[in-house]
């Protein structure tokens, strides 16, 4: 048998378009059946499948000299794919590379948006599904539990998920800088753009209270207002709404400016000492940039928000480098544990052989010495200590060599030196 190896065969947003990724995805009952079939392969000891919209990865342990052959054949049969297709789009990782990749994935360092929070839940679900089906054992349980621990440390000890990296989140971040606390702030949405809706949802989750929806078509405004538990207004009542709203998000398809000094400034005057935050997510723009020159008005357009997003992405990437340092320590500790696990049966065999020799000699010699029971117990204890001291250095060395060199070669040499039976 070869060395125990942890492998990953996968495809992701970095290597293939969605048309390829969706072909190889596993969901629900199909995922469970696939796990059981994979685990039944002669070369696969343990396995689990991580399947999301951005990646499909099969993690497995094997002792095969051709570790990926059986899993690729399984995918060909399961998904009607060709070997050439898998060769083109899939990556193959083993040993340290597979462990490191898995830890990066769980910590969102390999995500489309670095620092996004969904992946850790998806990783956890994949692990628990496999655990429930019994397709993971000692090695992959330890691997997954370590990956989840690593992910938690990365999130708590770095700023990888701290800054907004979407337009809608960036709007919320800017609103917090202007108002400090969003509790009780009133939000108006003009138009029905998807990004504007998302921004409103995020504002509400951060404490904003009342929502006003303004649309050229009142029916559309009412439908959207119901979703937020807000109030609907026709476009003709825009100025009334502006007098009430603290945060205004505009996302219409109008050919010209919807918000101008003519309708915004009277509304601002009617609400003294209350600033107004204007967010223009429309292209072409909905809000006249001349409003930027007036005190009490804070205007940001799509480019301003994009600059915030880009700056935050750079910051996340800097934090990702810190995260990699944290992860590397866990990678090395896991590999050390895995290699030591490999030689554990060998060490146990050596200890058993030494103990059998010790007992055999004592059983033959002790009766001839005429010792008292107390003296016999002391001799037994002394010989046990001698054996332990003699074995300590060889055991320490074999663990060290197993990490540094080929485990199978280390095992073979160790067996020859101490005359242990062949596997």
């Amino acid at each position: 048998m070869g060395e125990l190896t942890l492998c990953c065969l996968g495809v992701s947003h970095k290597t293939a378009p969605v048309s390829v990724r969706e072909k190889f995805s596993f969901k629900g009952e199909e995922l469970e059946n696939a796990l059981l079939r994979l685990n039944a392969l002669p070369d696969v000891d343990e396995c689990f499948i991580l399947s999301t919209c951005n990646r499909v990865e099969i993690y497995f342990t094997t002792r095969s000299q051709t570790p990926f052959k059986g899993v690729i054949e399984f995918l060909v049969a399961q998904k009607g794919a060709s070997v050439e297709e898998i060769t083109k789009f899939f990556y193959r990782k083993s040993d340290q590379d597979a462990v490191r990749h898995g830890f990066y994935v769980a910590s969102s360092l390999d995500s489309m948006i670095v620092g996004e929070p969904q992946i850790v839940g998806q990783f956890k679900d994949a692990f628990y599904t496999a655990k429930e089906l019994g397709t993971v054992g000692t090695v992959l349980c330890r691997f997954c539990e370590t990956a989840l621990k690593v992910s938690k440390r990365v999130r708590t000890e770095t700023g990888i998920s701290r800054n907004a990296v979407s337009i809608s989140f960036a709007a919320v971040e800017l609103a917090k800088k202007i108002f400090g606390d969003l509790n009780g702030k009133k939000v108006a949405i003009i138009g029905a753009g998807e990004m504007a809706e998302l921004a409103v949802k995020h504002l509400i989750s951060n404490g904003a209270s009342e929502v006003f929806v303004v649309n050229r078509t009142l029916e559309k405004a009412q439908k959207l207002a119901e979703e937020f538990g807000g109030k609907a207004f026709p476009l003709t009542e825009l100025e009334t709404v502006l007098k009430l709203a603290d945060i205004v998000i505009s996302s219409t398809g109008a050919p010209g400016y919807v918000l101008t000094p003519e309708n915004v400034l009277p509304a601002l005057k009617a609400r003294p000492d209350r600033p107004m935050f204007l967010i223009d997510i429309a292209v072409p723009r909905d809000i006249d940039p001349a409003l930027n020159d007036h005190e009490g008005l804070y205007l940001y357009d799509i480019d301003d928000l994009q600059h915030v997003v880009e700056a935050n992405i750079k910051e996340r990437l800097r934090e990702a480098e810190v995260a990699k340092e944290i992860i590397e320590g866990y990678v090395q500790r896991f590999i050390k544990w895995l290699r030591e696990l490999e030689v554990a049966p060998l060490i146990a065999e050596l200890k058993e052989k030494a103990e059998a020799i010790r007992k055999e000699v004592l059983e033959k010699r002790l009766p001839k010495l005429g010792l008292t029971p107390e003296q016999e117990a002391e001799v037994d204890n002394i010989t046990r200590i001698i054996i332990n001291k003699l074995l300590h250095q060889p055991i320490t060395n074999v663990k060290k060599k197993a990490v540094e060199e080929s485990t199978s070669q280390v095992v073979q040499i160790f067996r020859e030196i101490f005359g242990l039976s062949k596997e």
Side-chain angles (χ1 to χ4, degrees), residues 10 21-22 96 153 190 205 216 218 222 268 311 348 353 393 408 410 418:
R21 301 197 304 272
E22 65 187 8
Q96 288 193 47
R153 269 202 68 186
I190 305 169
S205 67
R216 197 174 300 277
L218 184 59
Q222 288 169 335
L268 186 67
K353 181 175 182 178
Q393 197 59 50
S408 57
V410 170
F418 289 98

Side-chain angles (χ1 to χ4, degrees), residues 133-148:
L133 291 172
T135 66
V136 292
T138 303
V139 176
L140 285 186
C141 276
R142 177 75 170 247
F143 169 72
C144 291
E145 286 164 359
T146 305
L148 293 172

Side-chain angles (χ1 to χ4, degrees), residues 6-10 12 14 48-50 52 55-60 91-111 116 119-124 126-127 139-140 142-152 154-155 323-324 326-328 330-331 334-335:
L6 193 156
C7 300
C8 172
L9 178 69
S12 76
K14 292 183 175 181
F48 81 96
I49 298 173
L50 175 63
T52 75
R55 70 183 64 248
V56 179
E57 295 180 339
I58 300 173
Y59 292 86
F60 61 99
Y91 39 86
R92 309 179 194 192
K93 299 180 184 292
S94 58
D95 206 44
Q96 288 193 47
D97 289 340
V99 174
R100 185 177 294 108
H101 177 75
F103 291 176
Y104 278 16
V105 168
S107 302
S108 82
L109 266 65
D110 197 63
S111 295
E116 57 88 7
I119 187 62
V120 65
Q122 293 165 333
F123 193 97
K124 189 183 294 184
F127 168 41
V139 176
L140 285 186
R142 177 75 170 247
F143 169 72
C144 291
E145 286 164 359
T146 305
L148 293 172
K149 184 188 296 182
V150 168
S151 175
K152 186 176 181 180
V154 165
R155 290 186 182 282
K324 287 177 182 179
I326 294 173
I327 289 171
E328 195 56 35
Y330 280 94
V331 171
F334 181 86
I335 291 297

Side-chain angles (χ1 to χ4, degrees), residues 167-169 171-172 175 186-204 208 211-214 224 228 238 241-242 245-252 258-259 276-282 286-287 298-300 305:
I167 294 295
S168 52
F169 267 120
V172 176
K186 298 177 181 180
V187 181
I189 176 172
I190 305 169
E194 186 179 344
M195 274 197 294
E197 289 182 47
L198 275 173
V200 172
K201 287 177 182 176
H202 296 323
L203 287 164
I204 291 171
V211 176
F212 311 119
V213 181
V214 181
L224 190 55
F228 298 122
L238 175 58
V241 173
L242 292 176
D246 302 296
I247 301 167
V248 180
I249 305 170
S250 192
S251 180
T252 76
V258 176
L259 298 183
M276 188 186 295
F277 179 34
L278 305 175
I279 308 168
D280 191 348
I281 308 182
D286 276 346
I287 306 176
Y298 299 87
L299 170 59
Y300 289 86
L305 295 173

Side-chain angles (χ1 to χ4, degrees), residues 375-419:
Q375 290 171 327
E376 285 189 0
E378 183 62 18
V379 170
D380 182 81
N381 192 42
I382 289 169
T383 55
R384 196 184 303 276
I385 291 170
I386 290 169
I387 291 294
N388 287 341
K389 284 185 173 293
L390 277 172
L391 294 184
H392 174 72
Q393 197 59 50
I395 288 172
T396 300
N397 286 344
V398 78
K399 285 182 177 180
K400 185 171 181 288
K401 290 293 183 184
V403 175
E404 296 172 349
E405 301 175 18
S406 167
T407 308
S408 57
Q409 289 181 356
V410 170
V411 168
Q412 183 181 348
I413 293 169
F414 197 84
R415 287 187 178 281
E416 289 174 359
I417 289 173
F418 289 98

Side-chain angles (χ1 to χ4, degrees), residues 176-195:
K176 284 182 176 178
K177 287 180 180 177
I178 292 166
F179 295 107
D181 187 356
L182 298 185
N183 286 329
K185 293 294 178 284
K186 298 177 181 180
V187 181
I189 176 172
I190 305 169
E194 186 179 344
M195 274 197 294

